[in-house]
Amino acid sequence: MTVRTRFAPSPTGYLHIGGARTALFSWAYARRFGGSFILRIEDTDLERSTPEAVQAILDGMNWLGLNWDEGPFYQTRRMERYREVIQKLLDEGKAYYCYASKEELDLMREKQMAEGLKPRYDGRWRPEPGKTLPAIPKDVPPVVRFRNPLSGKVEWNDLVKGHIAISNEELDDLIIARADGTPTYNFCVVVDDWEMNITHVIRGDDHVNNTPRQINMLRALGADIPQYAHLSMILGDDGQKLSKRHGAVSVMQYHTDGYLPEAVLNYLARLGWSHGDDEVFSMEQFCQWFDLDHITSSAAQFNTEKLNWLNAHYIKQADLGRLSEDIRTRLADMAIDAVQGPDLVQVVTLYRERVSTLNELAEQIRFFYALPPTPDAEALQKHMTPEILPVLKGLVATLENTEWSAEAIHHALANTVAENGLKFPKVAMPLRLALTGGTQSPSIDQVMTVLGKQETLKRLSAYLS
RNA sequence: GUCCCCAUCGUCUAGAGGCCUAGGACACCUCCCUUUCACGGAGGCGACCGGGGUUCGACUCCCCGUGGGGACGCCA
């Protein structure tokens, strides 16, 4: 049997980090076993689904490189088929019309809650042999309910959580078609998983409670029951449930914030799944290793610091051309033109080992292309001392007649330091301030090399006149 | 409230009865490297939720408790 997995988001918002991990695992499982990964858009909630959200999900998937083999299938385009199946269930007596109004149902639930019971439909419109149904009200359009078994239990061996059994007495006759005739989520999932021949349903564990209902419907339809794997949720950095206030909940936000997709992917893969002591690995390796046996069944807290560490790692590994182009765009977004001036590839090479995000990288090298920010007055006072000025003047004089190579600049600097009997930082610090505006940078001779002779001398002269 | 799920360092995790004086990674601390800050290298700190069983032996199995989380919609 060929493995067929699916990712079935509802387009009511962007692709968030939890959804991305679910997609990643489904995708990897299909890849691992040479199966197919299907993308299905669950847009039956007409009120909340938007084309923008669909696009956001597609963008997120594409950015991460989670390519799908079939789809995207839209449930709204399969309405005809759902109606057919509903009619079939109706005809076979496996579903029935219910005329209870929303108000009536609310009242029922309230009462049940008050009695300490689990709120569930009481089957008032469920036909039974010898049972008299209420008189059909005139102006209540009926919903269709699935006739769930009354006794026994539904069991399955969850590939992540192990054996789970839920009594049918806990379940009720769920609505499969609304009053307006449109099918509901749990029903569409069943029909789709069935007809798309899904073999492994990998999804968030908020669906554990839907599973027994879906299994019952699958059985009523005579369909094969897929294997289920319920993934635990991802908690925010603060251990709380992920929500808007956590900021970067959308995967694309990570792109905006300067993360490389391979870092996000690697981080997500390792969140709730493990392969011995392996921490850093490619998606190729992941697809070879991934299994459902090593998924943790407990919730995992998101840790930005570890993501940062991975991102730093991947920035160091990244193709220089690709990295530079990305940075060029980020600089442009900061209204800085990196087409003129020092060679961006050289600048990026010099700085990539020092940052953990691309935004940080862009931020740190901006002074190469824009004017250096004004150095901190206190730092200036401390390092740009009257005693050092003549030394700097001497250095500039030497530099003016120096061929602009890393080696030559280094020699000029070293000689100046030696001739004046100084420690290296004594000279390097004021240079750093004048050239970069800050007290931290790579070796100052390397910065000078990349900055260029003209610009270096120009920036120094501002302090020496 | 009812049902379901979960429980190892601060965080992500290894661990499928003896390999565990519980391993790795992030973070943190110390030292080294050093032209500042990073990077890198070497060390260090740091955990099996509690109580009962089962067993010669339990982080691992069972039960109870406690604590988290999820689900109970004409949302998905």
Side-chain angles (χ1 to χ4, degrees):
Chain A
M1 183 175 62
T2 328
V3 166
R4 289 174 65 82
T5 63
R6 45 67 154 192
F7 177 54
S10 67
T12 54
Y14 36 65
L15 176 63
H16 59 85
I17 207 75
R21 191 186 57 156
T22 304
L24 171 64
F25 285 8
S26 290
W27 171 83
Y29 197 74
R31 294 289 166 269
R32 165 80 163 73
F33 294 102
S36 295
F37 175 57
I38 293 140
L39 179 60
R40 185 168 81 215
I41 307 294
E42 312 221 319
D43 53 356
T44 51
D45 184 349
L46 279 1
E47 305 269 303
R48 297 198 301 155
S49 300
T50 66
E52 291 74 30
V54 171
Q55 194 52 51
I57 290 165
L58 264 28
D59 288 347
M61 299 280 289
N62 285 329
W63 182 61
L64 290 173
L66 301 179
N67 54 320
W68 52 93
D69 305 300
E70 292 175 30
F73 297 113
Y74 295 83
Q75 291 189 324
T76 44
R77 296 191 197 156
R78 289 174 47 76
M79 288 301 175
E80 214 37 58
R81 181 58 189 144
Y82 301 136
R83 262 185 258 276
E84 278 172 30
V85 180
I86 288 169
Q87 192 51 243
K88 180 174 179 272
L89 288 175
L90 240 18
D91 293 345
E92 292 173 354
K94 291 171 177 168
Y96 60 92
Y97 288 109
C98 168
Y99 294 86
S101 68
K102 285 185 187 176
E103 295 70 33
E104 197 181 331
L105 293 172
D106 284 343
L107 212 69
M108 179 192 77
R109 286 190 199 103
E110 244 171 69
K111 204 175 151 203
Q112 287 167 329
M113 282 288 247
E115 287 170 20
L117 297 171
K118 184 174 188 167
R120 49 194 286 276
Y121 179 65
D122 59 7
R124 57 187 67 180
W125 285 93
R126 177 178 170 124
E128 296 291 358
K131 177 179 170 189
T132 317
L133 262 19
I136 295 177
K138 280 202 181 65
D139 28 333
V140 179
V143 299
V144 178
R145 287 186 184 270
F146 172 69
R147 197 180 164 92
N148 199 75
L150 294 173
S151 59
K153 56 183 176 177
V154 185
E155 298 178 76
W156 76 94
N157 181 40
D158 196 279
L159 267 16
V160 171
K161 295 187 186 285
H163 177 259
I164 299 179
I166 294 177
S167 168
N168 272 320
E169 283 158 35
E170 292 299 325
L171 275 21
D172 62 3
D173 292 349
L174 75 157
I175 293 172
I176 57 177
R178 302 180 180 94
D180 65 3
T182 58
T184 57
Y185 164 76
N186 273 112
F187 179 74
C188 298
V189 168
V190 163
V191 174
D192 287 351
D193 284 344
W194 172 35
E195 297 194 336
M196 293 174 188
N197 292 308
I198 302 303
T199 59
H200 299 260
V201 173
I202 300 170
R203 57 177 15 166
D205 72 356
D206 46 337
H207 288 291
V208 166
N209 293 279
N210 289 327
T211 306
R213 299 172 182 285
Q214 295 180 5
I215 289 177
N216 281 335
M217 286 191 277
L218 250 5
R219 283 187 183 143
L221 292 168
D224 287 337
I225 314 297
Q227 301 261 50
Y228 291 96
H230 287 100
L231 273 22
S232 296
M233 58 185 307
I234 298 178
L235 271 22
D237 247 332
D238 53 2
Q240 296 301 112
K241 190 179 174 178
L242 232 30
S243 66
K244 308 280 178 294
R245 74 196 149 74
H246 286 97
V249 279
S250 156
V251 266
M252 290 316 277
Q253 185 64 41
Y254 288 92
H255 173 235
T256 308
D257 289 349
Y259 291 91
L260 254 15
E262 51 267 49
V264 174
L265 247 9
N266 193 154
Y267 179 73
L268 250 24
R270 224 7 225 90
L271 194 60
W273 175 84
S274 61
H275 185 265
D277 287 341
D278 294 306
E279 295 286 348
V280 181
F281 45 80
S282 67
M283 278 303 104
E284 195 179 15
Q285 284 173 311
F286 180 54
C287 287
Q288 282 168 18
W289 290 339
F290 185 68
D291 58 26
L292 297 169
D293 301 332
H294 293 83
I295 292 182
T296 335
S297 43
S298 55
Q301 192 170 315
F302 195 90
N303 186 224
T304 306
E305 281 168 338
K306 189 157 181 177
L307 205 214
N308 285 345
W309 171 72
L310 273 170
N311 203 45
H313 169 81
Y314 282 105
I315 286 175
K316 282 177 227 161
Q317 305 281 307
D319 175 78
L320 261 178
R322 169 192 171 210
L323 200 58
S324 301
E325 280 323 299
D326 180 286
I327 294 301
R328 194 185 301 283
T329 308
R330 284 174 203 273
L331 285 170
D333 289 344
M334 294 157 71
I336 292 169
D337 174 18
V339 176
Q340 318 270 320
D343 178 43
L344 188 55
V345 173
Q346 283 183 42
V347 177
V348 166
T349 304
L350 203 51
Y351 275 77
R352 69 186 324 196
E353 302 222 335
R354 319 167 59 79
V355 298
S356 54
T357 70
L358 300 170
N359 287 0
E360 238 178 273
L361 182 47
E363 189 55 47
Q364 289 201 18
I365 64 171
R366 63 182 296 165
F367 73 85
F368 276 97
Y369 303 98
L371 263 346
T374 319
D376 177 65
E378 206 175 305
L380 218 44
Q381 200 181 358
K382 183 175 173 195
H383 299 290
M384 193 68 78
T385 57
E387 302 79 67
I388 205 71
L389 287 177
V391 178
L392 258 31
K393 275 183 188 161
L395 176 66
V396 165
T398 314
L399 251 21
E400 271 165 353
N401 299 309
T402 301
E403 164 216 1
W404 213 251
S405 71
E407 212 172 57
I409 296 167
H410 182 79
H411 273 118
L413 223 47
N415 284 342
T416 301
V417 167
E419 282 163 11
N420 291 281
L422 297 166
K423 297 258 187 196
F424 215 114
K426 268 281 187 220
V427 177
M429 266 316 200
L431 288 175
R432 211 173 330 256
L433 280 169
L435 264 22
T436 74
T439 55
Q440 299 170 14
S441 81
S443 299
I444 198 61
D445 47 346
Q446 291 186 304
V447 171
M448 291 161 79
T449 308
V450 178
L451 225 205
K453 186 172 190 174
Q454 196 189 349
E455 189 63 20
T456 298
L457 295 176
K458 185 178 153 200
R459 290 187 185 188
L460 286 179
S461 67
Y463 293 86
L464 302 177
S465 52

